Amino acid sequence: MSKEKSSTLQLLTPLKMGDLVLSNRLVLAPLTRNRAGEGNVPTDLNMLYYVQRASAGLLITEGSQISLQALGYPATPGIYSQKQIKGWKKITEAVHEKGGLIFIQLWHTGRISHSSLLPDNALPVAPSSIRPRGEAVTYTGTQPFETPRALEIDEISGVINDYTQAAKNAKIAGFDGVEIHAANGYLLDQFLRDGTNQRKDIYGGSVENRMRLLDEVVTALKDVWPAHCIGVRLSPENQFNDIHDSQPQATFSAVLKMLNKHALAYVHILEGDMLNDEKNVDYIALRKLFSGLYMANNGYTRARAEQAVLDGHADMVAFGRAFIANPDLPERFAQNACLNEADPATFYGGGMQGYTDYPVLQAAK
Ligand code: PHB
């Protein structure tokens, strides 16, 4: 283990984000862990997981459903019921007690759901009735995705209201802000990309139309939260959940320009693809279109993250696997210490094993 002073790492310097000051630029990425309790209510075990990671400059929760219709997987938490608000409140209070900051990720999975997960066994909804290739995760194991029902134009205000209500609930639950999940093939991303959005109305066709729903959600949330407490997550070329766009550079250039007008806390960009190392989008060019804070994500190492911050490409870097396995990641980076390896077998579902039992560094003797 080489000793290097933490003060030499730009990654570990504070960052001002609106009225908030992040103690460092390491972010706990939003990570689906499928360990919510009955009623998709956050539990004390979930609290321990977040508290253990409270030394991150910012924690972003796992995707949390804005409504019953938004659910896409078993045992993922929501932020639409009173019990869920209460469960999250315990978590935000415990994180704040440790000096941490925590945003909740607002999630609607759209067509990546399954009728067996939804009220009245309704079909999942989407911009267009295009079935994803692959399989949904249900209570009884995986099942082939279904052809979703295209949202009627007069249903869209209801979806926006669900985001607004969830954002209000997040405030009651004591969060420091919200992240709108518009990435990874879920509902808002399904609207953004032309492979999944073939609508003929004002929510489909041109980029302006495809990004209208995201624009309207951001606008609605700005009536609930100050803009500098709202982040947006995008994944311009991630193919996860069978999604694609014919012109990702052009589409996401337009999206970043639109978001830039909203003076948000940050954009959070999953660069490249979750499942391979290919990168075809110019992220440096995208970054230049957004004058606020830029959070980079996807396979960054300590060295690459530091370089990205030094180069001015990123203001913050979100870590997933590394934070799963190393609750004290900032301290490990400070000491340039070895990292624990994450065990993929315990990523989704289960109890404390692989969730809250990763060891921290031994205290110096
Ligand atoms: C997942 O369950 O693997 C998952 C969930 C949400 C994401 C990405 C991946 O945004």
Side-chain angles (χ1 to χ4, degrees), residues 66 69 108-110 125-128 151-164 180-182 186-193 197 199 201-221 232 234 255 258-259 262:
I66 59 164
Q69 184 193 61
H108 191 313
T109 60
V125 297
S128 304
L151 281 164
E152 300 290 340
I153 192 158
D154 61 7
E155 287 178 282
I156 290 190
S157 60
V159 173
I160 297 169
N161 283 344
D162 289 341
Y163 276 99
T164 307
I180 300 167
H181 193 349
Y186 298 107
L187 185 73
L188 294 172
D189 198 24
Q190 291 159 27
F191 271 84
L192 293 178
R193 296 204 242 180
N197 183 345
R199 297 179 73 92
D201 60 17
I202 56 164
Y203 291 95
S206 64
V207 184
E208 283 64 35
N209 282 355
R210 283 183 276 129
M211 66 189 188
R212 186 180 308 279
L213 178 57
L214 176 59
D215 191 11
E216 289 178 351
V217 169
V218 172
T219 303
L221 264 49
V232 171
L234 303 169
V255 173
M258 178 273 285
L259 292 176
H262 284 294

Side-chain angles (χ1 to χ4, degrees), residues 32 73 107 181 184 186 240 274 348:
T32 294
Y73 304 89
W107 198 19
H181 193 349
N184 301 344
Y186 298 107
F240 182 67
M274 262 165 57
Y348 303 110

Side-chain angles (χ1 to χ4, degrees), residues 50 74 93 110 230 243 261 293-294 306 321 332:
Y50 287 109
E93 282 171 358
I230 303 171
I243 198 158
K261 287 189 289 195
L293 300 179
Y294 182 100
E306 177 65 3
R321 285 171 179 247
R332 284 180 191 253

Side-chain angles (χ1 to χ4, degrees), residues 28-341:
L28 170 68
L31 296 160
T32 294
R33 305 303 306 274
N34 306 83
R35 285 166 168 88
E38 211 187 314
N40 296 330
V41 172
T43 66
D44 287 354
L45 182 65
N46 304 149
M47 174 168 66
L48 180 58
Y49 163 81
Y50 287 109
V51 165
Q52 286 177 341
R53 288 156 183 79
S55 64
L58 178 66
L59 307 178
I60 305 171
T61 72
E62 61 213 275
S64 303
Q65 292 88 239
I66 59 164
S67 64
L68 284 165
Q69 184 193 61
L71 176 70
Y73 304 89
T76 52
I79 181 70
Y80 52 84
S81 79
Q82 292 307 314
K83 282 190 178 154
Q84 291 163 351
I85 296 170
K86 234 170 117 188
W88 281 122
K89 195 161 194 333
K90 280 179 80 174
I91 295 177
T92 61
E93 282 171 358
V95 166
H96 289 151
E97 232 165 75
K98 289 273 179 188
L101 295 170
I102 182 164
F103 276 33
I104 184 167
Q105 194 193 53
L106 302 180
W107 198 19
H108 191 313
T109 60
R111 69 178 193 157
I112 303 304
S113 186
H114 190 269
S115 55
S116 65
L117 297 168
L118 298 177
D120 304 323
N121 292 129
L123 280 176
V125 297
S128 304
S129 46
I130 301 170
R131 182 157 66 102
R133 284 174 299 178
E135 294 182 319
V137 184
T138 74
Y139 299 118
T140 54
T142 54
Q143 297 191 51
F145 280 124
E146 298 161 316
T147 302
R149 181 176 69 78
L151 281 164
E152 300 290 340
I153 192 158
D154 61 7
E155 287 178 282
I156 290 190
S157 60
V159 173
I160 297 169
N161 283 344
D162 289 341
Y163 276 99
T164 307
Q165 187 59 51
K168 288 180 182 165
N169 294 347
K171 232 176 186 180
I172 298 166
F175 284 100
D176 299 291
V178 295
E179 177 175 286
I180 300 167
H181 193 349
N184 301 344
Y186 298 107
L187 185 73
L188 294 172
D189 198 24
Q190 291 159 27
F191 271 84
L192 293 178
R193 296 204 242 180
D194 62 11
T196 37
N197 183 345
Q198 294 178 5
R199 297 179 73 92
K200 303 277 181 259
D201 60 17
I202 56 164
Y203 291 95
S206 64
V207 184
E208 283 64 35
N209 282 355
R210 283 183 276 129
M211 66 189 188
R212 186 180 308 279
L213 178 57
L214 176 59
D215 191 11
E216 289 178 351
V217 169
V218 172
T219 303
L221 264 49
K222 281 164 68 182
D223 283 339
V224 181
W225 286 91
H228 62 254
C229 297
I230 303 171
V232 171
R233 191 176 204 211
L234 303 169
S235 58
E237 62 181 321
N238 192 10
Q239 295 176 58
F240 182 67
N241 285 326
D242 192 30
I243 198 158
H244 63 92
D245 189 84
S246 60
Q247 294 181 30
Q249 193 82 41
T251 297
F252 285 88
S253 294
V255 173
L256 280 159
K257 282 187 205 160
M258 178 273 285
L259 292 176
N260 194 46
K261 287 189 289 195
H262 284 294
L264 300 175
Y266 63 82
V267 288
H268 177 182
I269 310 287
L270 188 140
E271 299 170 341
D273 193 290
M274 262 165 57
L275 306 178
N276 65 54
D277 288 335
E278 246 183 70
K279 265 195 202 135
N280 296 305
V281 166
D282 179 349
Y283 293 94
I284 310 273
L286 281 187
R287 197 272 168 270
K288 292 194 174 127
L289 301 172
F290 186 79
S291 56
L293 300 179
Y294 182 100
M295 185 188 299
N297 171 239
N298 203 19
Y300 275 83
T301 59
R302 176 181 184 272
R304 283 191 48 231
E306 177 65 3
Q307 199 57 51
V309 172
L310 286 174
D311 291 347
H313 173 60
D315 300 289
M316 304 165 267
V317 180
F319 291 88
R321 285 171 179 247
F323 244 127
I324 284 177
N326 299 276
D328 55 347
L329 193 63
E331 181 55 30
R332 284 180 191 253
F333 277 9
Q335 295 191 26
N336 202 11
C338 299
L339 300 183
N340 302 319
E341 278 289 318

